[in-house]
Amino acid sequence: MLVDGEPRLACITLAASMQGRRIETIESLATQGRLSALQRAFHERLGTQCGFCTPGMIMAAEALLRREPRPTEAQIREALSGNLCRCTGYVKIIESVLAAAEARR
Ligand code: FES
């Protein structure tokens, strides 16, 4: 999730400490039922495998793309380094973020 625009691990964040903060989750990225460019890129580029890690990956990538609209692969890897994927690896995830960055230009 994003707290005041910064990525944060929801699983270790105490809800009571979030009063008055702006919380964004994966659900907040879609607009009127339409996937965001980043969500669409994960779908189209197969960045989602089982989907377990996908919300965290997308929210971490969203924070990155807001501060760095044209990230390098190294910047993407660094931004996503706190999120683990246990499926087929990170290649499709990185490609998805790069595709989203291209689509948002
Ligand atoms: Fe399965 Fe990442 S898509 S853990």
Side-chain angles (χ1 to χ4, degrees):
M1 69 178 179
L2 302 183
V3 177
D4 296 332
E6 294 298 320
R8 195 147 170 176
L9 299 175
C11 57
I12 58 170
T13 300
L14 187 62
S17 69
M18 293 293 103
Q19 187 170 359
R21 312 287 293 276
R22 178 177 165 76
I23 308 296
E24 296 172 82
T25 64
I26 187 74
E27 291 81 5
S28 67
L29 296 185
T31 304
Q32 296 179 339
R34 298 185 64 157
L35 298 178
S36 71
L38 185 55
Q39 290 171 310
R40 200 168 37 256
F42 266 71
H43 175 69
E44 292 173 352
R45 299 294 179 123
L46 306 178
T48 297
Q49 284 113 69
C50 79
F52 185 81
C53 71
T54 304
M57 290 290 184
I58 288 180
M59 295 312 288
E62 177 68 21
L64 170 65
L65 293 177
R66 287 182 187 178
R67 70 176 183 274
E68 181 55 67
R70 297 179 180 182
T72 64
E73 182 177 330
Q75 288 173 312
I76 295 170
R77 288 186 181 278
E78 171 65 25
L80 301 182
S81 63
N83 298 75
L84 300 179
C85 178
R86 291 297 179 224
C87 285
T88 61
Y90 297 86
V91 172
K92 293 295 184 184
I93 292 170
I94 303 296
E95 289 176 0
S96 298
V97 178
L98 287 169
E102 186 66 33
R104 288 162 71 143
R105 288 184 187 171

